[in-house]
Structures are given as C-alpha cells and as structure tokens.
Amino acid sequence: MVGRGVHLCGSVPLSDAAAVFAQVATRLGGHITRIPDGETGDRDNGVVWQLPRLRAHPSLVTVPPPSPEYGPSQRVRPAPGIEPGAIDFGSLGYAQAARQSWRVFEQLREQGLIRPGVRFQVGLPTPIAVVGAFVAGPQAELETRYEAAILAELDQITSAIPHEDLAIQWDAAVEFALFEGVFPCWFGDDYPARLGGVIERLSRLGDSVPAGVELGYHLCYGDFGHQHFVEPADTSKLVDVASGVAVALTRPLNWVHLPVPKGRTDAAYFAPLTGLATVPETDLYLGLVHVSDGFEGARRRIKAAAAFVPEFGIATECGFGRRPAAQIPDLLDLHARLANSLD
C-alpha cells in the first residue's frame, strides 16, 4: 500500500486564514497538495452560517420544523405572496471569503512559506446541503434558486483566482441524510431514485468547475455536536455516490473523501470499497483519523481499509472544526506521522 498524502476537508479552527496556511504548510510540508483557509470566523460551523443569511432575507420567513431535527432545527420558507421562483439569494459570502483568503495565500507563497504547486482549496456547499437542512418548502423551487446563487459564487471565485492555483471541493452531507430518511426528500420515493437525483446534481456541479481547476468531493454523514445524523452501516452508499459521480462527470475528478467512524475496523465496513469506480488518477482519502484514539487507532483503521483498497490518503471524518484551537498543532502532527508511516 502506498499513501496518497493528507487531505484537509476544510475547517481548521484557528484565528484566521494566515494562521491556518502557516500551520498546515509548516507541519504537513510535502504531504499536502491543497490547503483550505480553515473556514474561520463566522464560517466555523460548516454550512450553518448560511442559516442567519436565509433568515435575514426579505423574501423569506422563519418557521419551526415539524419536529426536532438534527442540527439547528430552524427552517425558512417564502413569505406570503412571494413567488419562490423569483427569489434571488444574492451574495452568499463564499466568493468574498475566498478572494480575501487567496490574497493571504499568495503573500505567504511569495514569502516561501507555502511551496510551489500547492493549491488553494475552496469548499462550497451543495444546494441540497442548504435546502435539505434549512428550507421548509417549496424545496424544489428554492433548490433551483440556491443552485443559481452558488454557481454565481463559483464563477466569481474562478474568475478571481488563477485556475492552476485553485481546487474546488463540493461538500455533500445532507444528501446522505435524505437517503437515510433524516430529512424529507423532495425528489425520489426510494433509494435508487434519490441516488440518481443526487448523482445528477453532484455531477452537474462538478462539470461547472472550469478546466484547469482541480475538483473534489467531501462526502459526509454530518458532525453537528460531533455526532453523525445516522451511523453508516458500511461504505456502500458512499461508494454508490462517488462511483456514480465519477462516471457521470465529463471532466477529471481529482479526489474524493469518505468518512470512517472511529469504531469501524471490521471488514464489513470497508468491503464495498472494492466496487469504487474511480480512475487511478483520482485520489481517495479516508477520514479515519480521530483525536480520541490517535496514531494506534488510525493505524488499525488503515490496516482494515488496506485489505480492500490498495492506495489512499488520510483525513479526519469532517475537517478539524469545532475542536479547541490548542489541539490543532498536535492533530496536524498526527497526520504527518501517519502519512510518513504510509510512504
């Protein structure tokens, strides 16, 4: 087995982008090929930072969900008299944050702290992530409007940052909540139909990323309160999505990230990875690094995975977010130590 380095899913709870870039570049060195800005500040809880923006939108009103849900348990819907198809979400904040962080990245690269060839990674939510978790209805119409808004953000990002320096990651978690029945689904009455709808959407988003920009997907079962919305039975649904998207895309897929729960060292969890339909050029990262059992726990999960997939890199399940900043240097060093053990 040969390692494929370290992947950072996005969140790194340090003070600002400069601190994230400096710590990652210094501690991970040649093990990292893409560095996110850490999603610091008001972006520090994944996609949740979009909820206050939705609640403040003049065409939307806040309503409670039918019953308590995983996550913040607040939803929005069009205000009375507002046509859903006419709603303009406007600026979502992702492009503004990316442009600001890119300037810092450039400066640190010019100073020699970030080595040549390392790309600036920008994570974006799928429309399902926001609509599935925060929209009461009508979800189909507002998904279309949010997709238009997030693709406008993507266009701004790819217009401001040189393509050869940029990597885009689509973050997909709520998709699996729809599969598992945690949130209501507005497309498809069963798993095959929902899977087809997710693959169609994710591949459309991926094909919107311009040539020359690297493309990846972070697949996830949630991390709100450090809990999955459902514990995955195995990697089968993750493999279904990753394989379906890899086949449907009309452009290269550079990486895919899949989570590995801490307690899963059994063959049954990893066995579906043998059916992963990605090309050899696509990096596979397994989110098997957990703070609570460190090096030895990760090595057990690496050994279990290696029986079914010959080559992969390592990551945490869902970024470094929602952890004390004081833990981050040691967590980065743990990744470096594990990556060294795979080389």
Side-chain angles (χ1 to χ4, degrees):
M1 180 187 66
V2 178
R4 287 203 171 187
V6 174
H7 179 64
L8 299 183
C9 298
S11 54
V12 182
L14 296 177
S15 57
D16 53 29
V20 173
F21 294 144
Q23 285 285 328
V24 172
T26 300
R27 294 180 181 277
L28 291 181
H31 296 303
I32 195 84
T33 58
R34 311 169 191 99
I35 307 180
D37 70 357
E39 300 174 359
T40 58
D42 61 358
R43 296 178 293 140
D44 68 351
N45 197 12
V47 76
V48 175
W49 78 296
Q50 289 291 286
L51 181 57
R53 289 172 171 257
L54 296 177
R55 294 182 63 196
H57 195 288
S59 296
L60 301 172
V61 294
T62 303
V63 297
S67 58
E69 291 185 325
Y70 177 89
S73 289
Q74 292 179 324
R75 288 182 173 256
V76 298
R77 64 178 309 115
I82 297 295
E83 172 57 43
I87 291 177
D88 182 354
F89 284 102
S91 172
L92 303 177
Y94 288 97
Q96 179 183 5
R99 289 193 299 266
Q100 292 172 346
S101 295
W102 164 246
R103 289 193 288 270
V104 178
F105 185 99
E106 259 193 316
Q107 292 167 359
L108 295 180
R109 188 176 61 182
E110 290 170 0
Q111 295 169 13
L113 184 60
I114 297 174
R115 62 185 174 84
V118 173
R119 292 186 182 231
F120 173 45
Q121 178 182 308
V122 177
L124 297 173
T126 66
I128 286 178
V130 174
V131 173
F134 303 140
V135 171
Q139 290 173 308
E141 290 89 339
L142 291 185
E143 180 196 6
T144 298
R145 300 308 304 145
Y146 195 88
E147 180 172 316
I150 199 67
L151 289 179
E153 300 279 314
L154 173 66
D155 183 64
Q156 293 175 49
I157 293 166
T158 57
S159 297
I161 301 171
H163 292 185
E164 66 272 17
D165 293 321
L166 181 62
I168 295 291
Q169 174 175 276
W170 291 105
D171 296 332
V174 174
E175 285 79 355
F176 295 91
L178 300 187
F179 294 157
E180 303 288 357
V182 176
F183 292 143
C185 184
W186 58 98
F187 58 89
D189 295 328
D190 56 17
Y191 176 64
R194 294 179 182 185
L195 175 63
V198 165
I199 290 172
E200 175 189 350
R201 288 161 168 82
L202 292 183
S203 59
R204 183 168 66 241
L205 294 172
D207 281 334
S208 298
V209 176
V213 178
E214 287 193 340
L215 168 68
Y217 293 85
H218 164 56
L219 308 185
C220 185
Y221 268 71
D223 188 43
F224 193 84
H226 294 304
Q227 297 291 324
H228 297 311
F229 41 74
V230 168
E231 289 298 322
D234 53 32
T235 53
S236 58
K237 290 184 173 68
L238 297 159
V239 167
D240 286 347
V241 172
S243 297
V245 171
V247 170
L249 284 169
T250 61
R251 56 144 294 153
L253 172 60
N254 299 99
W255 80 91
V256 63
H257 165 277
L258 311 180
V260 180
K262 185 177 69 172
R264 302 306 295 266
T265 57
D266 55 299
Y269 184 78
F270 297 99
L273 291 175
T274 58
L276 187 62
T278 56
V279 298
E281 291 76 21
T282 300
D283 291 330
L284 170 65
Y285 295 100
L286 296 180
L288 46 72
V289 181
H290 293 266
V291 172
S292 55
D293 65 2
F295 183 85
E296 295 303 327
R299 287 296 305 178
R300 288 192 292 271
R301 289 181 286 275
I302 288 168
K303 181 179 179 181
F308 299 97
V309 61
E311 190 173 3
F312 55 88
I314 59 170
T316 56
E317 276 196 306
C318 191
F320 289 14
R322 297 158 295 284
R323 298 204 171 274
Q327 285 188 352
I328 301 307
D330 287 345
L331 187 52
L332 289 170
D333 290 345
L334 172 60
H335 279 74
R337 183 185 174 198
L338 285 163
N340 285 328
S341 76
L342 296 178
D343 290 339

